[in-house]
Amino acid sequence: MKHPYQDIPATLARALQAARRVVVFTGAGVSAESGIATFRDALTGLWSRFDAQALATPEAFRSHPDIVWGWYEWRRAQVLRAQPNAAHRAIARLARHVPELAVVTQNVDDLHERAGSVGVAHLHGSLHAPRCSACDAPHAFADGTPREPEEGRRIDPPACMRCGAPVRPGVVWFGESLPADAWEAAIRAAEQCDLLLSIGTSARVYPAAELPQRALAAGATVAQINPAATPLDARAHHNLRGAAAEIMPRLLASAGFEPPENP
Ligand code: BV8
Ligand code: ZN
């Protein structure tokens, strides 16, 4: 019988067992097994002629507010239909086993919170916090669930109740700065941690992609969980090739935090 956790290096299991401060840094890949397309998966439907990077910009919203708002409403409908997966749940359980756990995500969904993680730092904002593109007034979605926008439908953004300008998604677009409080908390956590787990991110978007590098510079152990290689491979101490929903529960079990059969 093969060693139950042979895909988890013993040195990593020991580092997790001994860690006092752990940072879990996630990207779109951690929500993939919840059925949410990763950011760089080819866009389909009306958006197939755009790439996500081009749509996730203030310029795109200015010139095609209905395409950009339609895209985010389609993504928000996906998130509302989705459930947290075994990776989100294992990350939430991890908080019971380490003295300090910081969850820092680039994702704009709320699956970490719905799995039970608290104090999640959202570096790129949230689909659930739309605001006015002119006066910043927060906007409340009518009944919380978007009409089922079929893929590719253009939807005019609602008008701000206060000033009438178009409401925008509550996310950080390319060329926009990150929310200062989330970013400062993330940097502090990365520079003080013993172990940083980079899970489901292509490690290409800055400044978020700096976090594992800051943890390395501060002497922390860095492990990456991703079925594919990323620019972080060369510097991470451990590269676990596989799906987060499969590896995360095994990682907790390999550290003796819980029995292996946990879902
Ligand atoms: C800023 C919100 C300045 C919206 C997003 C040249 C060099 C360096 C930097 C730059 C440059 N030119 C421009 C920049 C800056 C730019 C940037 O980094 N560009 C990159 C592309 C080169 N950054 C910015 O513009 C940032 N702002 O710099 O501001 C500034 C400073 C002061 C004042 C004013 C301005 C803002 C960046 C934020 C952009 N917004 N999202 C939305 O979501 O629609 S970023 C976007 O990419 C997503 O949020 C996503 O989170 C993020 C990163 O992508 P990933 O999460 O990694 O997702 P991806 O699809 O790429 O990868 C998924 C991974 O999962 C893959 O590796 C896959 O293998 C893996 N996977 C798949 N399945 C699984 C899995 N892993 C585990 N399990 C599985 N089952
Ligand atoms: Zn307004």
Side-chain angles (χ1 to χ4, degrees):
M1 133 112 150
K2 73 178 189 177
H3 177 272
Y5 312 118
Q6 67 171 14
D7 53 341
I8 308 284
T11 46
L12 175 57
R14 278 201 298 276
L16 180 55
Q17 247 164 4
R20 296 194 47 70
R21 294 190 175 119
V22 175
V23 171
V24 165
F25 171 55
T26 64
V30 82
S31 297
E33 279 138 301
S34 296
I36 295 179
T38 64
F39 192 71
R40 279 165 185 76
D41 276 354
L43 287 170
T44 49
L46 167 77
W47 304 303
S48 52
R49 57 194 164 92
F50 292 99
D51 84 295
Q53 213 140 304
L55 275 189
T57 61
E59 296 72 29
F61 184 69
R62 258 196 301 282
S63 41
H64 306 288
D66 56 348
I67 291 182
V68 174
W69 183 259
W71 180 45
Y72 280 93
E73 279 297 86
W74 178 70
R75 290 171 63 190
R76 187 165 72 92
Q78 262 192 342
V79 169
L80 288 166
R81 280 196 306 269
Q83 291 304 322
N85 62 56
H88 296 108
R89 293 196 300 271
I91 291 165
R93 291 198 303 274
L94 181 57
R96 298 180 214 147
H97 302 288
V98 296
E100 284 179 45
L101 176 70
V103 180
V104 178
T105 189
Q106 300 168 89
N107 298 341
V108 293
D109 65 49
D110 59 347
L111 296 182
H112 280 305
E113 290 85 349
R114 284 166 51 196
S117 289
V118 294
V120 178
H122 278 267
L123 298 183
H124 297 159
S126 164
L127 286 169
H128 301 296
R131 63 177 192 275
C132 175
S133 58
C135 74
D136 254 1
H139 173 77
F141 282 114
D143 57 3
T145 48
R147 290 198 311 266
E148 271 309 298
E150 63 277 13
E151 201 162 291
R153 219 161 80 74
R154 298 163 179 251
I155 305 177
D156 288 327
C160 168
M161 306 292 269
R162 198 161 72 183
C163 77
V167 169
R168 59 162 286 172
V171 301
V172 177
W173 279 324
F174 287 99
E176 295 184 323
S177 43
L178 276 52
D181 51 347
W183 179 237
E184 278 149 27
I187 284 284
R188 237 186 347 269
E191 290 181 342
Q192 293 172 1
C193 73
D194 312 302
L195 171 65
L196 181 140
L197 303 175
S198 179
I199 308 172
T201 179
S202 54
R204 291 173 202 289
V205 173
Y206 283 81
E210 269 178 43
L211 290 176
Q213 297 163 30
R214 300 247 192 157
L216 283 166
T221 300
V222 170
Q224 196 176 199
I225 295 173
N226 194 321
T230 77
L232 183 58
D233 275 51
R235 304 195 53 198
H237 297 95
H238 303 284
N239 290 302
L240 307 185
R241 275 282 172 279
E246 213 171 286
I247 291 180
M248 277 313 292
R250 299 170 65 71
L251 181 60
L252 268 67
S254 74
F257 288 163
E258 50 192 39
E261 65 280 359
N262 241 330

